[in-house]
């Protein structure tokens, strides 16, 4: 049997189109940069940048943007074997506006339906999912069928083996609110996912959606009560709180950086948290490292290509300011897919962005 993956993520993917001018509304932007995006894809890239064997389970359109996402994943050394195309549905595109230090409006184009919500339970490689050292799912994956059934089936198959992370990832615009608020519709499915996960991670708003609690310690206790072993509550400029069911508490202070784009900081935090947990570090060290990784991405323009290497995170923790974005990975050659071998303001990061 092939060596298990360090981390398999499952969920959203798309193309991010970011303005190349900061502090300018979209109506006035003339040039954009094109990047791999989506929380599940970004977390996999963040873990891969830290040396972890990563793969993502998702779907794209059968179009040029879908081809681009395959190329980008391979370039970041993320296994794309479980990224499949859905004929008739376009690959999602997301635009943002960049107004540092804390205003980054997002505009999602996922109509008529995002292909990543067409992941089906019967098509999942449950053996690989069950064997992965970390399995990561997101709240967005619960917002519609058949992705909802597939996400819960994968969690059920894991049966809390290894580390199973539920990223609360609250995006209300993806949920149908025809029979009440989108939060009302989401909570029962969030409860099912929490009962099957070992780790929950989210910002204050996401924790409130999942548990009804917004005060950090109360939210962490509610997440533990819902079934997880580790609750991670991101608090933006107040840092991060992590509480384990064994009584361990870690509070990671914010890392001060000159914020360029806060989007993606939460995904960098997630990939770095995975790396720290797999490394067997004490909880406080995991949170400090993850906070620093998120801060580095917040100080850069992009998300996926901004994910830091371990040496960059260590340098920031040693007091050095984050440098520019690392050179992109060399483009992967054509052929078999990889994986068989293995103007800114000042703010704090990573906190709420994801």
């Amino acid at each position: 049997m092939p060596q298990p993956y360090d981390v398999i993520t499952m969920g959203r993917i798309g193309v991010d189109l970011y303005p190349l001018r900061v502090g300018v509304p979209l109506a006035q932007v003339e040039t954009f940069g094109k990047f791999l995006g989506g929380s599940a894809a970004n977390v996999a890239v963040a873990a891969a940048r830290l040396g972890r064997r990563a793969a993502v389970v998702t779907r794209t359109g059968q179009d040029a943007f879908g081809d681009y996402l395959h190329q980008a994943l391979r370039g970041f050394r993320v296994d794309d074997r479980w990224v499949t195309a859905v004929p008739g549905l376009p690959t999602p595109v997301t635009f943002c506006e960049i107004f540092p230090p804390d205003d980054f409006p997002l505009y999602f184009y996922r109509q008529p339906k995002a292909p990543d919500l067409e992941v089906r339970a019967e098509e999942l490689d449950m053996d690989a999912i069950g064997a992965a050292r970390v399995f990561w799912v997101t709240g967005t994956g619960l917002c519609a069928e058949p992705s909802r059934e597939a996400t819960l089936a994968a969690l059920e198959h894991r049966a809390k083996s290894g580390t199973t992370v539920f990223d609360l990832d609250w995006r209300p615009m993806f949920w149908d609110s025809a029979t009440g608020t989108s939060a009302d519709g989401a909570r029962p499915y969030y409860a099912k996912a929490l009962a099957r996960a070992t780790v929950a991670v989210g910002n204050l708003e996401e924790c409130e959606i999942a548990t009804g609690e917004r005060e950090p310690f109360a939210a962490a206790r509610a997440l533990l009560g819902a079934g997880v072993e580790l609750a991670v509550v991101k608090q933006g400029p107040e840092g991060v709180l992590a509480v384990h069911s064994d009584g361990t508490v870690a509070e990671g202070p914010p890392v001060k950086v000159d914020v360029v784009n806060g989007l993606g900081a939460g995904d960098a935090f997630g990939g770095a948290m995975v790396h720290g947990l797999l490394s067997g570090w004490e909880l406080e060290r995991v949170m400090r490292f993850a906070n620093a990784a998120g801060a580095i991405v917040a100080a850069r323009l992009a998300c996926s290509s901004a994910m830091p290497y371990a040496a960059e995170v260590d340098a920031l923790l040693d007091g050095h300011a984050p440098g520019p974005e690392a050179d992109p990975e060399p483009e992967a050659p054509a052929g078999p897919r990889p994986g068989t071998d293995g103007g800114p303001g000042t703010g704090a990061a990573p906190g709420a962005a994801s």
Side-chain angles (χ1 to χ4, degrees):
M1 180 177 177
Q3 181 181 358
Y5 289 85
D6 289 321
V7 57
I8 296 177
T9 67
M10 178 174 166
R12 195 167 72 250
I13 194 171
V15 176
D16 286 346
L17 295 175
Y18 285 178
L20 298 183
R21 291 178 63 193
V22 173
V24 177
L26 280 181
Q28 299 176 22
V29 174
E30 296 180 349
T31 56
F32 296 84
K34 181 180 68 176
F35 305 96
L36 168 74
S39 59
N42 281 338
V43 170
V45 170
R49 275 274 168 97
L50 296 169
R52 296 299 175 177
R53 185 168 183 252
V56 60
V57 179
T58 190
R59 306 196 74 179
T60 71
Q62 196 170 50
D63 52 26
F65 277 149
D67 293 341
Y68 161 73
L69 293 175
H70 278 285
Q71 295 170 12
L73 287 169
R74 297 174 198 174
F76 289 122
R77 297 188 174 90
V78 173
D79 197 324
D80 66 338
R81 69 182 64 204
W82 296 303
V83 181
T84 58
V86 182
L89 290 179
T91 298
V93 174
T94 302
F95 290 87
C96 79
E97 293 177 309
I98 302 176
F99 297 103
D102 58 5
D103 186 18
F104 309 101
L106 282 168
Y107 302 87
F108 293 98
Y109 291 82
R110 291 168 61 86
Q111 290 81 24
K113 185 180 184 181
D116 54 60
L117 296 177
E118 285 293 307
V119 175
R120 298 180 181 275
E122 62 270 21
E123 297 171 350
L124 296 176
D125 187 337
M126 289 297 194
D127 288 341
I129 287 172
R133 299 175 69 192
V134 176
F135 181 56
W136 181 290
V137 300
T138 73
T140 295
L142 300 174
C143 75
E145 296 290 5
S147 173
R148 178 185 299 148
E149 178 187 0
T151 299
L152 294 174
L155 290 172
E156 186 70 25
H157 182 79
R158 286 281 292 183
K160 291 184 178 285
S161 60
T163 298
T164 303
V165 183
F166 178 35
D167 176 1
L168 303 181
D169 184 41
W170 175 241
R171 303 289 182 181
M173 69 288 292
F174 299 161
W175 289 79
D176 181 6
S177 58
T179 58
T181 68
S182 54
D184 291 337
R187 284 195 183 101
Y189 301 111
Y190 271 55
K192 290 181 179 181
L194 288 167
R196 293 163 171 80
T198 63
V199 179
V201 56
N203 61 37
L204 291 173
E205 180 187 9
E206 291 167 339
C207 290
E208 185 175 21
I209 293 299
T211 69
E213 300 285 355
R214 191 176 181 89
E215 192 280 324
F217 277 95
R221 288 192 293 268
L223 291 170
L224 295 177
V228 302
E229 299 170 7
L230 175 63
V232 180
V233 182
K234 297 182 288 184
Q235 303 171 69
E238 301 303 317
V240 64
L241 168 69
V243 181
H244 196 279
S245 58
D246 66 6
T248 304
V249 176
E251 294 186 77
V255 179
K256 296 291 185 180
V257 293
D258 289 335
V259 173
V260 174
N261 183 1
L263 301 173
D267 298 331
F269 178 98
M273 183 185 76
V274 165
H275 175 66
L277 293 174
L278 289 175
S279 299
W281 296 343
E282 292 183 354
L283 191 56
E284 182 177 356
R285 182 182 178 188
V286 174
M287 293 300 109
R288 288 182 64 247
F289 187 89
N291 254 352
I296 290 172
V297 172
R300 295 170 173 174
L301 174 66
C303 291
S304 53
S305 63
M307 297 299 173
Y309 295 95
E312 296 177 289
V313 181
D314 291 337
L316 181 58
L317 290 171
D318 287 339
H320 301 285
E325 294 179 23
D327 292 335
E329 298 281 4
E331 183 174 338
R337 294 175 182 173
T340 54
D341 297 324
T346 300
S354 63

